[in-house]
Amino acid sequence: MAKSHILGFPRIGADRELKKAIESYWKNDISKVELEAVGKQLRAKHWQQQIDAGLDFITVGDFAWYDQVLALSATLGVIPERHQQETITLDTLFNMARGSSPCCGQQAAACEMTKWFDTNYHYLVPELNEDQQFALSYNQLIEELQEAKALGFPIKANLLGPVSYLWLSKTNSDFDKLTLLPQLVATYKQLLANIAAEGVEWLQIEEPILVQDLTSEWQQALTTSYAELAKGSNKLLLTSYFGALGDNAELAFSLPVAGFHIDLSRAPEQLDTALALLPAHAILSAGIVNGRNIWRNDLAKSVRSLQQAKATLGARLWVASSCSLQHSPVDLDNETKLDTELKSWLAYATQKLTEVSTINALLNGDNSEKLTAQLTTRVTESTAVVASRATSSRIHNTAVKERVAAITDQDAQRHSSFTLRIASQQQELNLPLFPTTTIGSFPQTSDIRQTRNQFKQNIISQDQYITKMQAEIKDVVKRQEALGLDVLVHGEPERNDMVEYFGELLDGFAFSKNGWVQSYGTRCVKPPIIFGDISRPAPMTVAWSKYAQAQTNKLMKGMLTGPVTILCWSFTRDDISREEQTNQIALAIRDEVVDLEHAGIKVIQIDEPALREGLPLRKSEQQEYLDWSTKAFRISASGVRDNTQIHTHMCYCEFNDIMPSIAALDADVITIETSRSNMELLSAFTDFSYPNDIGPGVYDIHSPNVPSVEWMTQLITNASEYIDVARLWVNPDCGLKTRGWKETEAALKNMVTAAHHLRDTFSN
């Protein structure tokens, strides 16, 4: 019989138990023993759910306390010198992630964080040096295998492969990191032997770089690596996802492994190629259930698409999720907010377990009377759901479609060039050298969260809610004035999330109550659900911004989220293109921008942190995306006068390779994350002359550390080597909602002091 499995399950818990426990541990409210007990309970629960759903394996190795790549770095002994200690512990991982030192309370920069391929999940980037030594140093995976074995579960282990791990790493000097591969593979062989010693037959070894463009050197790295790894007794399931193998298909299927997993959700066309290239002995794991979106699977269609493969392969065809389910919310049964019709269209991770096992059972032809009735019911329901969604009157809006169809190139252009605009803006805004600002949000205190919850639960009236939020805004404005910031923000106390807030005010979006997914560490988000055509029924931020501007004579910055980011951080429709959905959002944001300008807001920030994230993994597909995504941003920003200054913000992504497209946004000011990389990201400006103003983030807001004046002064001094000082802004690298007021004010005070020092230095 063919097998069914998933590539991974959400680790956070249906009620975000892991997040809550870790943050309690950081606050010293619970002990490490208590924290570890929560993790153990969650793992056991999730493993049991996989078996109860009818899967043939549980997946072990998908759990992480902060990030799976960070856990692997610890396993391999890849610990930056600033975080090294005699024994690697859980606290070592937290120090690396959050930016603190193993002793004496000394500051140590956190490891760089960036996006996991084209998802909104972030991983901690491994740091390698030329004389790097790898050694098994942290035993989490083996301990979890022992844990699962003691509970009697059928186990499939899960591990990121060595070539992808090396690809995702950074080096601290200019050397070819492939020279480290032989030693890395030798360490992997030891780890694989330890896995085999636990009696685990199958190892899901992931090489997601196989869906990217690889040079011959990296292709050869895969060949040589797996020639060595295949010498062990493990049955290796070589795993790719997030796209098609494409021109790497022949390479992948030539590797000496026992099985191959391919993503048939993102790239269904690759099934025929896989069947043609699959070795006679090998397993083919078909990733037919989408691990990255929440729409219910069309079970009948999935079975039809795999019937020929089943006829050819028999028991050598396995059924699986396309990728790890960590990118999906945990359990639809916990939802109480969604209406019945919309909820019937959806499947979260727990429901996807049943979808995988059902497709497999149907292909296997299981014919017990009870099971046949269950399967028939499931297929009938999914077919009816797909049909009802396609014909629902809630989805289509003729006026929106007509407005998108009428977009012209002129709609995506400012009136004048940046050179003319910036002169007009400087006259209007009268900003000093090295102007200071923040990225938008300020600490979201327990009082703020309580007020929002009370309003949602109708405990307080709308008037009471507005009064309390205005009091918070007034307080934030006073604090910023006291700190001496040049361009202020209203602090966003009314916003739960930078995408969710806007989605709740736009038509075409729906919101869950418990649709949490992990973004990084303990940071969880609830992506909006785009189910219909999108429009803005009323202004969304104007009243808050007007109130904030009325509290000060300083410039108040309006804060919006850009169309590409709203798209990328939502669960999107699968019945129309991403481009069309983005243009719908862009027009809604454009209306808001124009209304903010009419309300007297002279500086407007439209955040696009997800622009790079949405980039297709294959170069051949990237330019088309960059063309329509940058145009969508310009559509949102181009309805204003020259002297209205448009800002945008990007964080935690490698965008050096798309600098021309960043410039094509034509934002007057861009703020970016550079502090974790010590301004290394600005090296892109050596080869590309970025034309507009830029604010390289001078401190890492994800760390509790308060950076010194000297530290920030030096970072901006470093930045001045790449950017003319007349075009440099001084700001944190991201919003401050997750920080406390004490550290926030201390850090911003130092930041403003650093800016004044820089003005003294560079104006002389």
Side-chain angles (χ1 to χ4, degrees):
M1 301 290 282
K3 305 292 185 182
S4 59
H5 70 114
I6 58 169
L7 300 197
F9 195 79
R11 59 186 73 119
I12 59 174
D15 193 37
R16 294 176 293 159
E17 296 95 323
L18 187 62
K19 164 193 172 66
K20 295 171 184 177
I22 292 172
E23 291 178 350
S24 293
Y25 174 67
W26 289 344
K27 296 175 184 176
N28 295 317
D29 290 340
I30 65 172
S31 67
K32 186 181 294 185
V33 171
E34 291 173 302
L35 172 61
E36 290 172 338
V38 172
K40 187 173 183 179
Q41 291 165 5
L42 283 172
R43 290 191 294 272
K45 178 182 178 181
H46 298 159
W47 293 334
Q48 188 64 55
Q49 285 179 284
Q50 292 170 52
I51 296 302
D52 290 346
L55 299 185
D56 294 290
F57 296 111
I58 65 162
T59 301
V60 179
D62 54 348
F63 180 86
W65 294 104
Y66 198 96
D67 163 54
Q68 69 266 22
V69 179
L70 174 63
L72 179 56
S73 292
T75 300
L76 300 170
V78 181
I79 309 295
E81 184 177 354
R82 64 188 181 279
H83 292 295
Q84 286 180 2
Q85 55 192 118
E86 186 173 346
T87 303
I88 298 174
T89 67
L90 182 55
D91 290 324
T92 309
L93 274 65
F94 290 150
N95 289 337
M96 292 169 65
R98 303 180 73 217
S100 55
S101 181
C103 69
C104 313
Q106 297 175 348
Q107 291 188 9
C111 292
E112 186 178 332
M113 184 167 64
T114 196
K115 297 294 176 69
W116 177 251
F117 295 89
D118 60 350
T119 75
N120 188 32
Y121 179 76
H122 303 65
Y123 75 96
L124 274 294
V125 181
E127 298 177 24
L128 305 175
N129 53 64
E130 195 164 3
D131 57 353
Q132 183 72 50
Q133 297 298 306
F134 300 100
L136 297 183
S137 307
Y138 186 65
N139 215 32
Q140 179 180 328
L141 176 57
I142 301 303
E143 290 173 354
E144 289 175 5
L145 291 172
Q146 294 169 346
E147 194 178 301
K149 187 168 63 172
L151 294 171
F153 291 117
I155 299 169
K156 169 178 59 77
N158 170 34
L159 183 67
L160 180 65
V163 185
S164 290
Y165 177 80
L166 200 61
W167 173 281
L168 295 167
S169 302
K170 62 179 288 188
T171 60
N172 62 2
S173 59
D174 187 17
F175 71 95
D176 182 2
K177 57 186 175 182
L178 280 172
T179 59
L180 300 176
L181 186 61
Q183 189 200 156
L184 177 60
V185 170
T187 308
Y188 261 80
K189 289 177 69 175
Q190 296 173 28
L191 180 56
L192 266 58
N194 292 346
I195 293 170
E198 297 299 328
V200 177
E201 182 181 25
W202 279 97
L203 170 60
Q204 170 188 311
I205 191 160
E206 300 181 1
E207 294 288 1
I209 65 167
L210 279 165
V211 304
Q212 295 188 269
D213 300 309
L214 301 178
T215 64
S216 59
E217 290 81 6
W218 284 96
Q219 290 176 329
Q220 183 60 40
L222 286 157
T223 300
T224 56
S225 296
Y226 282 86
E228 285 297 313
L229 296 179
K231 294 177 181 178
S233 60
N234 315 82
K235 285 188 176 180
L236 301 180
L237 180 69
L238 184 69
T239 300
S240 63
Y241 41 76
F242 299 158
L245 292 168
D247 58 359
N248 293 321
E250 289 190 10
L251 164 68
F253 285 104
S254 73
L255 298 178
V257 296
F260 304 85
H261 173 87
I262 57 174
D263 185 340
L264 294 180
S265 175
R266 290 283 288 269
E269 72 281 357
Q270 66 178 329
L271 178 58
D272 290 342
T273 301
L275 292 173
L277 295 175
L278 187 73
H281 68 280
I283 294 293
L284 180 65
S285 171
I288 195 70
V289 172
N290 191 339
R292 290 183 57 175
N293 214 328
I294 40 73
W295 302 111
R296 196 164 171 175
N297 186 276
D298 185 341
L299 298 175
K301 180 180 179 182
S302 293
V303 170
R304 288 194 301 271
S305 69
L306 293 177
Q307 280 177 333
Q308 182 56 51
K310 177 65 177 177
T312 303
L313 301 178
R316 291 194 293 127
L317 178 70
W318 291 6
V319 177
S321 58
S322 62
C323 60
S324 173
L325 300 181
Q326 77 172 79
H327 307 289
S328 296
V330 179
D331 192 350
L332 187 63
D333 289 344
N334 290 344
E335 287 298 350
T336 57
K337 185 176 179 180
L338 297 171
D339 68 67
T340 302
E341 182 184 31
L342 179 57
K343 188 174 178 179
S344 72
W345 299 343
L346 309 181
Y348 287 2
T350 301
Q351 288 67 46
K352 291 176 187 291
L353 301 178
T354 302
E355 290 183 336
V356 170
S357 66
T358 298
I359 294 167
N360 190 55
L362 289 165
L363 288 167
N364 279 333
D366 291 344
N367 56 9
S368 69
E369 184 176 341
K370 181 179 179 182
L371 183 58
T372 299
Q374 290 177 342
L375 297 178
T376 301
T377 299
R378 291 174 189 171
V379 172
T380 301
E381 287 181 352
S382 75
T383 301
V385 162
V386 171
S388 71
R389 183 178 161 222
T391 58
S392 175
S393 60
R394 302 171 64 189
I395 292 176
H396 304 292
N397 184 318
T398 301
V400 171
K401 293 183 181 299
E402 290 176 350
R403 191 178 179 198
V404 169
I407 290 173
T408 66
D409 289 341
Q410 190 61 40
D411 293 323
Q413 299 293 333
R414 295 288 296 273
H415 299 297
S416 303
S417 67
F418 171 74
T419 302
L420 295 176
R421 295 198 313 265
I422 198 65
S424 175
Q425 291 162 18
Q426 188 57 33
Q427 184 177 6
E428 176 75 21
L429 306 178
N430 193 29
L431 290 167
L433 192 65
F434 299 108
T436 56
T437 191
T438 62
I439 303 306
S441 60
F442 270 91
Q444 295 248 331
T445 64
S446 58
D447 286 344
I448 290 174
R449 293 192 296 271
Q450 182 183 41
T451 298
R452 283 206 309 264
N453 288 334
Q454 288 175 336
F455 178 54
K456 284 189 174 183
Q457 296 169 17
N458 296 316
I459 296 173
I460 61 175
S461 68
Q462 184 174 18
D463 287 343
Q464 289 173 309
Y465 171 73
I466 290 173
T467 297
K468 288 189 174 186
M469 290 294 103
Q470 286 179 339
E472 294 290 347
I473 291 171
K474 191 171 185 178
D475 177 65
V476 166
V477 171
K478 286 183 176 179
R479 289 176 187 259
Q480 292 174 88
E481 286 183 326
L483 288 164
L485 289 162
D486 299 307
V487 178
L488 312 189
V489 296
H490 80 284
E492 305 177 14
E494 79 287 0
R495 303 187 191 182
N496 42 15
D497 175 82
M498 64 182 292
V499 173
E500 184 175 3
Y501 174 80
F502 290 98
E504 287 180 332
L505 297 170
L506 293 168
D507 287 342
F509 282 85
F511 285 85
S512 65
K513 182 177 181 181
N514 291 299
W516 297 101
V517 294
Q518 184 183 23
S519 178
Y520 62 85
T522 61
R523 168 70 167 156
C524 299
V525 295
K526 282 189 302 178
I529 300 165
I530 302 177
F531 71 89
D533 291 328
I534 300 159
S535 61
R536 186 195 74 144
M540 303 178 287
T541 68
V542 175
W544 300 116
S545 293
K546 280 182 68 175
Y547 178 81
Q549 183 64 83
Q551 309 310 306
T552 181
N553 292 323
K554 289 199 168 187
L555 292 166
M556 180 59 58
K557 183 164 56 171
M559 298 301 306
L560 304 172
T561 303
V564 179
T565 296
I566 291 177
L567 178 90
C568 289
W569 291 359
S570 300
F571 291 120
T572 58
R573 292 170 64 176
D574 55 4
D575 59 331
I576 64 173
S577 70
R578 292 198 304 160
E579 179 181 0
E580 183 174 350
Q581 293 172 77
T582 307
N583 282 337
Q584 291 179 4
I585 302 168
L587 290 171
I589 299 300
R590 180 189 183 96
D591 293 342
E592 188 73 12
V593 169
V594 170
D595 281 351
L596 282 169
E597 182 185 61
H598 290 165
I601 305 301
K602 300 177 181 179
V603 181
I604 302 170
Q605 181 171 309
I606 309 171
D607 289 339
E608 283 292 19
L611 181 72
R612 177 62 174 80
E613 172 189 317
L615 190 70
L617 298 176
R618 290 285 189 172
K619 285 185 171 58
S620 60
E621 302 169 3
Q622 291 176 356
Q623 193 57 53
E624 179 185 4
Y625 161 79
L626 290 169
D627 288 344
W628 65 252
S629 61
T630 55
K631 181 178 180 179
F633 176 88
R634 295 195 306 274
I635 290 169
S636 72
S638 295
V640 294
R641 298 185 297 268
D642 285 353
N643 59 2
T644 295
Q645 189 170 83
I646 297 294
H647 290 221
T648 192
H649 172 67
M650 297 179 180
C651 58
Y652 302 109
C653 66
E654 295 287 348
F655 50 75
N656 292 7
D657 55 342
I658 61 166
M659 286 302 301
S661 296
I662 302 298
L665 296 174
D666 198 26
D668 299 308
V669 182
I670 181 174
T671 53
I672 59 175
E673 179 277 322
T674 50
S675 60
R676 284 198 179 205
S677 64
N678 200 29
M679 297 292 168
E680 288 177 14
L681 289 176
L682 290 183
S683 62
F685 295 90
T686 302
D687 301 318
F688 182 86
S689 180
Y690 185 77
N692 300 6
D693 284 13
I694 185 166
V698 295
Y699 78 90
D700 174 19
I701 65 91
H702 294 94
S703 169
N705 295 337
V706 174
S708 67
V709 172
E710 293 74 20
W711 170 270
M712 289 187 277
T713 301
Q714 186 58 53
L715 283 180
I716 290 294
T717 302
N718 294 347
S720 70
E721 298 176 9
Y722 303 99
I723 307 293
D724 186 281
V725 295
R727 296 194 290 119
L728 280 172
W729 285 62
V730 180
N731 47 263
D733 65 2
C734 205
L736 296 160
K737 67 182 292 184
T738 61
R739 301 266 57 93
W741 268 114
K742 182 178 179 181
E743 65 197 83
T744 293
E745 290 187 301
L748 291 178
K749 180 180 179 182
N750 287 352
M751 188 187 83
V752 171
T753 301
H756 283 279
H757 287 178
L758 289 161
R759 289 170 195 168
D760 291 341
T761 299
F762 285 92
S763 61
N764 292 333

